[in-house]
Amino acid sequence: DVKVTQSSRYLVKRTGEKVFLECVQDMDHENMFWYRQDPGLGLRLIYFSYDVKMKEKGDIPEGYSVSREKKERFSLILESASTNQTSMYLCASSLPRGVQPQHFGDGTRLSIL
Amino acid sequence: GDSVTQMEGPVTLSEEAFLTINCTYTATGYPSLFWYVQYPGEGLQLLLKATKADDKGSNKGFEATYRKETTSFHLEKGSVQVSDSAVYFCALSTLGGTALIFGKGTTLSVSS
């Protein structure tokens, strides 16, 4: 089975901090994704990556950046955390064609105080 | 642009009741369609998928049929259980796109 592991289930940070969310997948998938999930809004794509060192903006990239130095690892960075970034963050991975299902981690619930 | 619309919840049912969660989509081209489920405290899991018109996806007693003429992919289950309580997301993917486009999710609550 594909395993997507997010480094933290719960995280509490302060406004203005630089925050790193880590995601690792073990199935050699080319594609990796970061979403945020908010009540009433569903899942919204922040960034995705289709190869090492490659990245594409999703629907809501403002205030975020990403890093993919190795194929199995995709990091989401909040450059200067703000309270409106309090949310559930989900990482996913998939094979390189769009019709392939995505495999999700269990999520990181991030609170910015 | 491409989009997915699913019925708003919450949906509250008694055990053994029939379930329908409506999902319609707008897409250029020929999308693949998915239902994902999110159990409390967990990430999303793929429930079923269909890749072309008239395909029926099925898993764990759930079914959905890809209807091109009505641009729909409604989720059904004949007899729900308490353990089916979760949030259900409809999603689509097109060959031209890499990421999934999700609906807003429908919360299902089943009581015994």
Side-chain angles (χ1 to χ4, degrees):
Chain A
D1 276 355
V2 176
K3 184 72 173 174
V4 178
T5 302
Q6 295 184 229
S7 54
S8 304
R9 292 297 303 273
Y10 301 94
L11 206 53
V12 179
K13 296 291 182 181
R14 298 214 171 269
T15 304
E17 281 192 72
K18 190 169 186 176
V19 180
F20 294 84
L21 303 183
E22 306 288 345
C23 176
V24 176
Q25 51 96 2
D26 66 357
M27 281 302 291
D28 205 35
H29 284 171
E30 282 79 3
N31 294 341
M32 295 189 75
F33 308 84
W34 276 106
Y35 296 88
R36 65 176 281 176
Q37 181 181 8
D38 299 289
L41 297 178
L43 274 74
R44 294 179 290 168
L45 181 66
I46 304 171
Y47 269 96
F48 68 95
S49 168
Y50 52 89
D51 202 350
V52 175
K53 296 192 186 295
M54 307 303 288
K55 61 185 179 184
E56 293 284 343
K57 293 180 180 179
D59 300 318
I60 51 164
E62 296 79 18
Y64 303 95
S65 63
V66 290
S67 172
R68 193 162 181 205
E69 296 296 320
K70 294 185 178 181
K71 191 175 185 179
E72 67 271 18
R73 187 180 296 271
F74 191 36
S75 302
L76 179 70
I77 304 156
L78 286 65
E79 298 290 346
S80 177
S82 63
T83 54
N84 63 12
Q85 293 177 309
T86 292
S87 186
M88 170 72 88
Y89 290 87
L90 293 167
C91 175
S93 71
S94 76
L95 289 168
R97 292 182 66 83
V99 296
Q100 296 294 334
Q102 294 183 12
H103 301 267
F104 284 81
D106 286 340
T108 295
R109 186 165 294 282
L110 175 64
S111 296
I112 307 296
L113 304 179
Chain B
D2 297 349
S3 66
V4 174
T5 303
Q6 57 183 106
M7 63 187 288
E8 294 195 20
V11 175
T12 304
L13 295 173
S14 298
E15 207 165 24
E16 300 184 1
F18 185 86
L19 169 71
T20 300
I21 300 177
N22 291 338
C23 172
T24 57
Y25 67 88
T26 302
T28 53
Y30 301 96
S32 292
L33 301 173
F34 305 84
W35 277 102
Y36 282 81
V37 59
Q38 184 180 32
Y39 297 105
E42 298 182 11
L44 277 69
Q45 303 174 23
L46 178 66
L47 182 59
L48 53 84
K49 69 175 182 179
T51 57
K52 62 183 187 297
D54 299 324
D55 266 2
K56 178 186 282 188
S58 62
N59 186 24
K60 299 182 180 180
F62 291 89
E63 293 182 340
T65 301
Y66 188 140
R67 301 283 188 204
K68 188 168 179 290
E69 63 277 12
T70 55
T71 62
S72 65
F73 192 55
H74 304 322
L75 182 68
E76 296 182 337
K77 187 175 185 182
S79 177
V80 294
Q81 305 300 311
V82 172
S83 57
D84 293 327
S85 298
V87 182
Y88 293 82
F89 292 91
C90 185
L92 69 82
S93 177
T94 62
L95 281 176
T98 301
L100 289 171
I101 297 170
F102 286 89
K104 293 184 178 180
T106 302
T107 299
L108 170 66
S109 179
V110 181
S111 57
S112 58

